Amino acid sequence: MTRVELITVGDELLSGLVLNSNVARVAESLASVGLGLSVVCDVSDDLDEIVAAVRASAARADVVLCSGGLGPTSDDLTRDALARAAGVGLDVDDGVVQTLRDRYAEWNIPMPDLALRQAEVPQGATLIPNPRGSAPGLQMRIDGALVLALPGVPGELQAMLDATVAPLLAGLAPGPAPVTATLRVALAGESGVAAALTGVQGAGEAAGVRFAYLADGGDVRVRLTGPAEAVAATEQAVADALGHGVYSRDGAPLEAVTQRLLLEAGATVAVAESLTGGMLGAALTELPGSSAVFLGGVLVYATAAKADLGVDAALLAERGPVDGDVAVQLAERVREKFGADYGLATTGVAGPDPVGDYPPGAVFLGLAGPNGAFSRRRDLPPRRDFVRRLTVLAALDLLRQELLGLPRDG
Amino acid sequence: MTRVELITVGDELLSGLVLNSNVARVAESLASVGLGLSVVCDVSDDLDEIVAAVRASAARADVVLCSGGLGPTSDDLTRDALARAAGVGLDVDDGVVQTLRDRYAEWNIPMPDLALRQAEVPQGATLIPNPRGSAPGLQMRIDGALVLALPGVPGELQAMLDATVAPLLAGLAPGPAPVTATLRVALAGESGVAAALTGVQGAGEAAGVRFAYLADGGDVRVRLTGPAEAVAATEQAVADALGHGVYSRDGAPLEAVTQRLLLEAGATVAVAESLTGGMLGAALTELPGSSAVFLGGVLVYATAAKADLGVDAALLAERGPVDGDVAVQLAERVREKFGADYGLATTGVAGPDPVGDYPPGAVFLGLAGPNGAFSRRRDLPPRRDFVRRLTVLAALDLLRQELLGLPRDG
């Protein structure tokens, strides 16, 4: 069995200033090639600590992944630590120097001398390209272990895991390279999903399929890894068990799935947002090509703004801004205003204070389209950031199901 | 210097299913008594792994904290691991048995036999009371180190840190507790900030102040830790070196600083967003209390939507949507439409495709307020998600500097 350990470098991890979300990124990437983490060690930006951690892991493991400490500043010490742990010196790589000069020029930022630290490479190490940033990764052997050092910046780490690390490690997994399938479900707590899949998971694991649940807000990824045939059968069983809730079986996020469906339908959308304050529009414009499907919207945060968009003033006076019929009218008015095929609206209580009789977490979604308009109520976990994020997922999923012509099952 | 290490036990940490938030709880508790974590190791629910981690930490550290693995189920193995690492057996503690019986009776749940595992105590260990749950913590000596084992359930861990662990460890801290200061700068590359602080950092470190740089998108945190007097002097030196760019000296994010300034000024804001598609409104509504300062906005994503808001059609036809004067008119029109004190607008090229003669990253910000309207151009790193996120930071920072009456230095 291939033993893989992860060393995450950074004072901010040990001080509790930031949560170590890179563990999840590395774990998911490893799972995709049938590997898992045996140990994760967080160490501070201290040369001796990093050297000790690298030596200890290299002595135990077949593969040692390091994240963080590759940046340009004085507390980025992973390069120096790897060189010392391997007992070699550091050379300046001219290719990296040129890449740095080009990148800073492209970014319209003058390159500080400090940036050149990122061109220092331990003797015998090879470079891992960084498509997202300026610091390349490093690959070398220490005490017989394969050591891969990657940046700690999540976007850069993820890109390098996908492009280089996972393919490199795929060969190390025991037996034939496993296949993976990822199903995504919106607005599901991972324990709820896991409970719904208890039987399916038992059968799948008996067939050699490894289950991993990755939860991010209301978004849950179910990742299956194992022999091709068993994974295919298990994927279908999972899809059947979770039903309409499954929005993607290729790993695509809900924003991408919704945009793809709009493009395929040649349809446009406009949004009217209250409690989400722009997050729904932001999600619908996150990806290139969004201008073909997203026309615009109105942030009707203040109640007056809802009336100004054309919501019946008497209705607002009688029911207040948090109401299903208000959501319907917001969707209808914004659809008309922008001449869009679909109008999508959010109104509700983000919290911490209640609105009228509604507690934080009470949310109404409105959808207006070629087949008429309707609203849905959602009662979400009452924490402001959850409520807002889950409302966006719920609105996108409502539009997705409407575009697919799925039954409006509430 | 007292060396403290933390071992967190649980498969779910290594699979990435949950973020290890207990590190932050332990770090805060230690900081309150002037101590810090040197290393954190996450290990799986595997007896050999836990034993190896405990032995390694006990050999290096003065204090070893363990969290997790004290529950009643078969994969709760910390008790057994501590006994094996210390080379002792496990005794059943009658007091704990009685406490368990009482608690289950109180819950009206028949006590499962498995629950009695929680009454097993390594010989020579003393108990740490658990005011929140059924599993007590353990305190013992292994290889000369003080080992404290606590539950992984956050609420139980926190209660036991506060009631027992922090008071117990307070005596171990050397000298007065260190203080920390955090300064935040928007739209600054990490290396740019570090370069600007080279001299300041040298002087600060000579006075015993530790520097940490945390970059997240265009947002950089400079964190100082050390003796109170030296930190205060260094904080001022950093603020002087970075000038107007410093938006917060209490760790508050730019969204919070801008909202606070609006509240203090009794001022309101409305937004007109093109390339940011709602992200600016989302940022201004992220925090409780935003309804007092944020009235709403218009997502003028399509060019027609810009004209519909009232931007001069001839100007749009002549210059296109990416233009400084268009940004000014967007800010003025949205300010009028919502009757806000300030109108804030974004237009530019998120990419990947250019717009007219403008490449991805070319952005215009518009600000209209009591002191007139103006625009600023920014040329940002040309990657869609950077451009959008940095545009939001630039817009918030423009409003912040206007609210502070800082010179409009472009």
Side-chain angles (χ1 to χ4, degrees):
Chain A
M1 187 57 200
T2 306
R3 182 179 178 89
V4 186
E5 298 193 13
L6 172 65
I7 298 170
T8 55
V9 179
D11 288 348
E12 71 279 9
L13 303 172
L14 294 164
S15 69
L17 196 55
V18 300
L19 291 181
N20 194 352
S21 61
N22 284 343
V23 174
R25 294 184 180 85
V26 170
E28 194 197 351
S29 181
L30 290 173
S32 73
V33 294
L35 296 172
L37 284 169
S38 294
V39 171
V40 175
C41 281
D42 310 333
V43 301
S44 60
D45 296 306
D46 177 285
L47 188 59
D48 295 334
E49 294 283 357
I50 306 171
V51 171
V54 169
R55 285 186 174 146
S57 285
R60 290 188 300 250
D62 305 295
V63 179
V64 179
L65 297 172
C66 302
S67 74
L70 290 182
T73 68
S74 58
D75 60 3
D76 290 304
L77 297 168
T78 299
R79 278 176 298 266
D80 311 76
L82 292 180
R84 186 183 294 190
V88 301
L90 289 161
D91 293 334
V92 172
D93 184 289
D94 297 337
V96 178
V97 173
Q98 191 52 52
T99 308
L100 288 167
R101 293 195 192 289
D102 296 346
R103 196 174 292 266
Y104 274 90
E106 175 195 353
W107 287 3
N108 304 302
I109 306 171
M111 181 170 82
D113 297 342
L114 266 175
L116 288 173
R117 278 178 49 77
Q118 300 169 100
E120 295 175 1
V121 177
Q123 286 155 3
T126 57
L127 298 173
I128 300 173
N130 180 346
R132 292 287 194 91
S134 52
L138 300 170
Q139 172 179 345
M140 60 196 295
R141 288 258 165 205
I142 297 178
D143 195 6
L146 174 64
V147 178
L148 304 173
L150 305 168
V153 179
E156 300 180 20
L157 175 74
Q158 188 66 62
M160 294 164 79
L161 287 170
D162 296 343
T164 305
V165 176
L168 177 67
L169 297 185
L172 301 178
V179 303
T180 73
T182 301
L183 300 91
R184 301 186 66 156
V185 195
L187 281 184
E190 71 270 18
S191 53
V193 172
L197 296 180
T198 308
V200 173
Q201 179 166 354
E205 286 174 343
V209 178
R210 188 158 154 186
F211 277 62
Y213 299 95
L214 300 153
D216 174 17
D219 188 65
V220 176
R221 276 172 292 175
V222 182
R223 180 180 277 280
L224 311 173
T225 309
E229 246 178 60
V231 165
T234 307
E235 180 188 356
Q236 191 53 51
V238 170
D240 295 342
L242 297 178
H244 294 335
V246 177
Y247 66 77
S248 133
R249 290 172 66 165
D250 60 0
L254 185 54
E255 294 81 355
V257 171
T258 310
Q259 177 172 319
R260 194 185 334 169
L261 289 170
L262 285 164
L263 284 167
E264 287 168 5
T268 58
V269 63
V271 299
E273 305 190 51
S274 185
L275 79 156
T276 48
M279 295 171 71
L280 181 55
L284 285 164
T285 55
E286 188 177 320
L287 302 169
S290 56
S291 54
V293 297
F294 183 76
L295 299 183
V298 182
L299 308 182
V300 289
Y301 208 62
T303 301
K306 298 178 178 69
D308 187 60
L309 179 60
V311 175
D312 178 7
L315 177 69
L316 282 169
E318 180 198 336
R319 308 248 194 98
V322 180
D323 177 75
D325 293 336
V326 169
V328 166
Q329 289 194 21
L330 285 171
E332 288 173 326
R333 294 300 92 74
V334 84
R335 177 183 184 233
E336 293 156 11
K337 177 181 171 62
F338 285 85
D341 298 300
Y342 292 92
L344 192 55
T346 66
T347 185
V349 190
D353 303 320
V355 173
D357 302 334
Y358 291 105
V363 169
F364 289 92
L365 309 168
L367 177 58
N371 301 322
F374 64 103
S375 71
R376 288 284 175 264
R377 175 171 177 168
R378 294 276 183 271
D379 293 282
L380 303 168
R383 213 184 77 193
R384 188 175 177 88
D385 56 347
F386 282 2
V387 173
R388 283 163 38 102
R389 172 61 184 153
L390 295 183
T391 299
V392 171
L393 289 176
L396 292 173
D397 204 50
L398 193 67
L399 178 57
R400 174 187 71 89
Q401 299 205 23
E402 182 76 1
L403 286 162
L404 288 170
L406 295 174
R408 295 174 177 175
D409 52 19
Chain B
M1 186 59 198
T2 305
R3 182 179 177 90
V4 186
E5 297 194 11
L6 171 65
I7 298 169
T8 54
V9 180
D11 288 348
E12 72 281 7
L13 303 173
L14 294 165
S15 72
L17 184 54
V18 301
L19 293 181
N20 195 352
S21 60
N22 283 345
V23 174
R25 293 184 182 85
V26 171
E28 306 286 6
S29 181
L30 290 172
S32 72
V33 293
L35 295 172
L37 285 168
S38 295
V39 170
V40 175
C41 280
D42 310 333
V43 300
S44 60
D45 297 305
D46 177 283
L47 187 60
D48 296 334
E49 295 282 357
I50 305 171
V51 171
V54 170
R55 285 185 173 148
S57 285
R60 290 188 299 250
D62 305 295
V63 179
V64 179
L65 297 171
C66 302
S67 73
L70 290 182
T73 69
S74 59
D75 62 0
D76 290 305
L77 297 168
T78 299
R79 277 176 298 266
D80 312 74
L82 292 180
R84 187 185 293 190
V88 300
L90 289 160
D91 292 334
V92 171
D93 183 286
D94 296 336
V96 178
V97 172
Q98 192 52 52
T99 308
L100 288 167
R101 293 196 191 290
D102 297 346
R103 196 176 291 269
Y104 275 91
E106 180 188 329
W107 291 342
N108 286 315
I109 308 170
M111 182 170 79
D113 297 345
L114 264 176
L116 287 174
R117 281 177 47 78
Q118 300 170 96
E120 296 174 1
V121 177
Q123 288 155 2
T126 57
L127 299 173
I128 300 173
N130 181 346
R132 294 281 193 91
S134 54
L138 300 170
Q139 172 179 345
M140 61 196 292
R141 290 257 164 204
I142 297 178
D143 195 6
L146 175 63
V147 178
L148 304 173
L150 305 168
V153 179
E156 300 180 21
L157 175 73
Q158 188 67 62
M160 294 164 79
L161 287 170
D162 298 342
T164 307
V165 176
L168 176 68
L169 298 184
L172 301 177
V179 304
T180 73
T182 302
L183 299 92
R184 303 186 65 159
V185 195
L187 281 181
E190 184 183 8
S191 53
V193 171
L197 295 180
T198 307
V200 173
Q201 179 167 353
E205 286 174 343
V209 178
R210 183 159 195 180
F211 277 63
Y213 299 94
L214 301 159
D216 174 16
D219 188 65
V220 176
R221 274 176 290 180
V222 182
R223 194 158 185 268
L224 311 173
T225 309
E229 238 176 69
V231 165
T234 306
E235 179 188 355
Q236 190 52 53
V238 170
D240 295 342
L242 297 178
H244 293 335
V246 176
Y247 65 77
S248 130
R249 292 172 64 167
D250 60 1
L254 186 54
E255 294 79 356
V257 171
T258 310
Q259 177 173 320
R260 194 189 314 158
L261 289 170
L262 285 165
L263 284 168
E264 287 168 3
T268 57
V269 62
V271 298
E273 305 190 51
S274 184
L275 79 156
T276 47
M279 295 172 70
L280 181 55
L284 286 164
T285 55
E286 189 177 320
L287 302 168
S290 55
S291 54
V293 298
F294 183 76
L295 299 182
V298 183
L299 308 182
V300 290
Y301 208 62
T303 301
K306 298 178 179 68
D308 187 60
L309 179 59
V311 175
D312 179 8
L315 177 69
L316 282 169
E318 180 197 335
R319 309 249 192 97
V322 180
D323 177 74
D325 293 336
V326 169
V328 166
Q329 288 195 20
L330 286 170
E332 289 173 327
R333 294 299 92 74
V334 84
R335 177 181 183 237
E336 293 155 11
K337 177 181 171 63
F338 285 85
D341 299 301
Y342 292 92
L344 193 55
T346 66
T347 185
V349 190
D353 303 323
V355 173
D357 302 334
Y358 290 105
V363 169
F364 290 94
L365 308 169
L367 176 59
N371 300 324
F374 63 102
S375 71
R376 287 285 175 265
R377 176 171 176 166
R378 293 279 182 270
D379 293 283
L380 303 168
R383 213 185 76 208
R384 188 176 178 87
D385 56 348
F386 278 6
V387 173
R388 284 165 35 103
R389 172 62 185 150
L390 294 183
T391 299
V392 171
L393 289 176
L396 292 173
D397 204 51
L398 192 67
L399 178 57
R400 175 188 70 90
Q401 299 206 21
E402 182 76 1
L403 286 163
L404 287 171
L406 296 175
R408 293 176 180 174
D409 51 20

